[in-house]
Amino acid sequence: MDFEKFHGLVPAVVQDDASNEVLMVGFMNDEALRRTRETGFVTFFSRTRNTLWMKGETSGNRLKVVRLLTDCDTDTVLARVEREGDGLVCHLGTVSCFTQEIA
């Protein structure tokens, strides 16, 4: 992965493997990607808290990795996942973070 292009981070798009719905986007650094691969659950790097966090660690709505892919420039991760828990991925209580249309 090319972590240098975005100052040590790469965007990580999360997509439901069964429905193909895009659930959310976060950022990963090298350690977050390594931890994701080791644990099998999506881990991000929080830019606001400057720390790693596993999605659903406290809520139980974890994202189990089915496949990890990269784009042709190796600067973006696509995590194809199975949702665990109640399946509500967004912190606003929805399945996907992409619910608001732009007028």
Side-chain angles (χ1 to χ4, degrees):
M1 292 302 305
D2 184 357
F3 289 101
E4 296 311 309
K5 196 177 287 184
F6 298 115
H7 308 287
L9 300 174
V10 294
V13 179
V14 179
Q15 184 177 32
D16 186 287
D17 192 57
S19 70
N20 290 322
E21 183 175 15
V22 175
L23 303 174
M24 66 176 292
V25 175
F27 290 89
M28 291 182 176
N29 61 8
D30 185 48
E31 187 178 356
L33 180 58
R34 181 183 54 77
R35 193 167 299 176
T36 296
R37 293 177 76 185
E38 287 175 357
T39 65
F41 292 94
V42 177
T43 299
F44 295 105
F45 178 80
S46 170
R47 296 171 296 158
T48 55
R49 295 186 311 255
N50 199 35
T51 189
L52 296 180
W53 62 281
M54 179 188 288
K55 177 67 180 160
E57 196 168 30
T58 56
S59 69
N61 297 321
R62 298 188 308 169
L63 301 170
K64 184 177 181 181
V65 174
V66 175
R67 296 188 295 162
L68 289 173
L69 301 114
T70 186
D71 69 332
C72 57
D73 295 325
T74 66
D75 62 7
T76 302
V77 172
L78 174 62
R80 305 261 314 175
V81 302
E82 292 176 359
R83 293 176 286 133
E84 291 192 345
D86 62 17
L88 302 178
V89 173
C90 183
H91 70 281
L92 296 178
T94 56
V95 170
S96 172
C97 292
F98 293 94
T99 58
Q100 299 179 30
E101 287 191 37
I102 299 173

